[in-house]
Amino acid sequence: MDDCPQQTPLFTFGVIADIQYADIDDGYNFTRTRRRYYRSSLKLLRNARESWSETAVKPEFILQLGDIIDGFNKGQGASDRALHTVLREFSSGPAELHHVWGNHEFYNFSRSSLLRSQLNSSLHHGSLHPDSLYPDSSSPDSLHPYSLHPGSSSRGLGAQAPGSDIYAYSFSPCPGFTFVVLDAYDVSLLGRQESSEQYSQAMDLIKQYNTNEDLNCPPLIEGLQQRFTMFNGGFSKEQLDWLDSILSSADEKQERVTIVSHLPVHPRSTDPICLAWNYEQLLAVVQSHGSVVCFMAGHDHEGGYHQDTDTGVHHVTFEGVIETPPDSNAFATVSVYKDRMELKGRGRIADRVLLFPCLRS
């Protein structure tokens, strides 16, 4: 590894998670054990954007791992204004954006409006200037859809998931490398109409394990069943089958795949309360293929890391901006080489060298 500083990466990308911006005073998490810095999160985003802009090798893209604004905005009628503020900060950055959806996206917006919005990165490759979200300069009343210009396309954009409302897609920033963005709230009470079959099925599932009146409170037991809370979700069979097909194709092409989701899927990479509901099914798909090298997630503001001993897949959960003090930072720049990723963290995020496991057939 002594020659690593002399090597040129194939490409680099930035990562940031759980910005949760709101124009309100500092507060605390639900258990009042950790402080949340709602206004300062914008400053930390600016720090990240300036760092990515000033680096010698500009990132190819930025992964925004979900919860871009906080749910408190909804009660104040400020959801669109807050999103506009954050996207304006992103817009002066050096790279295109790939947005992931978390629970706070659904606290603020409906699934249908998100699918039509700038937060749907499967529709475009790169960011649109946030002013184009609104028809005029007045305060926005609702999330305004945007459209691609005729004939525009997404370079390197792969297949979108089947189903009209599943937010999942793949893209390739470089030959031999594929990134897959997953919809961790495909199966969820969030973003689903209460009259829908999807909502009923999600309710039946969560009530098998959580009998609390407030389903945001975890089951009164210890262990992995604590994940069955309303602020989590899971992956439908339709989405898992699609992922399986994407990974089968990557196996055949000997590609390296990084999967991205708001919710972590490995119990040793996060607190159980932050796990995806059906993480075992997702892991089973990953373990049946040899192309996956890394799984990146947010949601758990404390972060976490685990390398699966069976597959060699790195599970990286990124620390959240929202619980990062104003004098620190929480973002990363990842340099990708033929045999590894080198993660350079800032502030609360640790540096890591993620060696790729051997390709399995």
Side-chain angles (χ1 to χ4, degrees):
M1 299 294 287
D2 293 339
D3 61 340
C4 289
Q6 286 74 46
Q7 291 183 333
T8 301
L10 299 173
F11 63 95
T12 68
F13 63 95
V15 187
I16 193 165
D18 297 86
I19 299 168
Q20 286 184 226
Y21 168 73
D23 187 15
I24 59 176
D25 294 338
D26 293 350
Y28 290 88
N29 64 344
F30 293 112
T31 57
R32 300 193 65 79
T33 56
R34 297 193 299 270
R35 195 171 185 86
R36 292 187 169 177
Y37 306 90
Y38 295 103
R39 289 195 182 99
S40 296
S41 65
L42 195 66
K43 173 182 176 290
L44 269 60
L45 170 58
R46 185 173 300 120
N47 292 346
R49 189 258 300 163
E50 290 175 350
S51 176
W52 291 324
S53 297
E54 294 167 1
T55 186
V57 179
K58 301 295 188 291
E60 182 84 7
F61 57 91
I62 306 298
L63 295 178
Q64 187 277 112
L65 295 181
D67 287 2
I68 193 171
I69 62 173
D70 194 87
F72 276 128
N73 288 292
K74 182 68 172 181
Q76 298 190 331
S79 298
D80 295 280
R81 189 175 299 109
L83 179 61
H84 181 253
T85 299
V86 177
L87 290 181
R88 181 182 294 278
E89 188 62 49
F90 267 122
S91 70
S92 57
E96 57 202 17
L97 295 170
H98 288 274
H99 295 290
V100 177
W101 293 354
N103 47 309
H104 283 260
E105 273 70 30
F106 293 108
Y107 297 157
N108 284 284
F109 307 111
S110 69
R111 176 172 283 269
S112 60
S113 65
L114 285 169
L115 286 166
R116 299 191 308 271
S117 79
Q118 193 178 1
L119 293 181
N120 183 347
S121 302
S122 71
L123 295 178
H124 62 100
H125 212 214
S127 60
L128 209 64
H129 194 280
D131 284 343
S132 64
L133 284 170
Y134 311 112
D136 53 46
S137 59
S138 61
S139 296
D141 295 319
S142 62
L143 190 65
H144 191 276
Y146 79 94
S147 60
L148 288 169
H149 294 292
S152 62
S153 63
S154 297
R155 181 179 58 81
L157 193 63
Q160 289 180 242
S164 60
D165 62 358
I166 299 175
Y167 178 57
Y169 67 98
S170 66
F171 67 97
S172 177
C174 177
F177 292 86
T178 291
F179 284 70
V180 181
V181 175
L182 293 182
D183 185 345
Y185 292 86
D186 178 13
V187 177
S188 176
L189 297 175
L190 302 178
R192 297 296 186 187
Q193 295 290 335
E194 291 188 17
S195 59
S196 69
E197 182 65 24
Q198 293 140 316
Y199 186 93
S200 297
Q201 291 173 351
M203 182 65 77
D204 290 342
L205 175 60
I206 193 173
K207 284 198 168 182
Q208 291 180 40
Y209 305 97
N210 190 336
T211 58
N212 293 322
E213 183 175 348
D214 181 359
L215 292 176
N216 273 314
C217 294
L220 298 177
I221 56 174
E222 294 183 357
L224 299 180
Q225 287 190 21
Q226 288 187 306
R227 70 188 186 275
F228 288 101
T229 66
M230 192 170 177
F231 50 77
N232 293 333
F235 312 94
S236 67
K237 183 180 185 300
E238 188 176 20
Q239 187 176 182
L240 292 173
D241 288 346
W242 171 81
L243 175 62
D244 185 64
S245 68
I246 293 292
L247 298 183
S248 292
S249 176
D251 290 345
E252 293 175 5
K253 298 174 184 177
Q254 296 279 287
E255 292 180 338
R256 304 292 194 175
V257 178
T258 296
I259 302 176
V260 183
S261 161
H262 183 65
L263 297 181
V265 297
H266 201 293
R268 295 187 180 180
S269 69
T270 183
D271 187 291
I273 203 172
C274 293
L275 268 176
W277 286 351
N278 60 336
Y279 75 90
E280 292 168 304
Q281 289 177 292
L282 192 288
L283 284 180
V285 174
V286 171
Q287 290 167 354
S288 66
H289 297 279
S291 50
V292 181
V293 296
C294 190
F295 192 104
M296 295 184 173
H299 197 49
D300 185 342
H301 299 166
E302 289 294 290
Y305 169 79
H306 178 72
Q307 184 175 18
D308 190 300
T309 54
D310 294 327
T311 62
V313 174
H314 301 274
H315 290 263
V316 186
T317 305
F318 287 84
E319 288 80 354
V321 169
I322 184 62
E323 291 178 8
T324 301
D327 60 351
S328 184
N329 278 300
F331 67 93
T333 304
V334 183
S335 299
V336 181
Y337 301 86
K338 183 178 180 181
D339 62 342
R340 70 194 185 281
M341 292 180 181
E342 293 187 1
L343 190 158
K344 177 65 178 177
R346 295 291 294 273
R348 298 173 64 209
I349 298 179
D351 295 349
R352 299 186 188 279
V353 176
L354 309 175
L355 297 174
F356 294 155
C358 296
L359 288 166
R360 295 179 289 120
S361 57

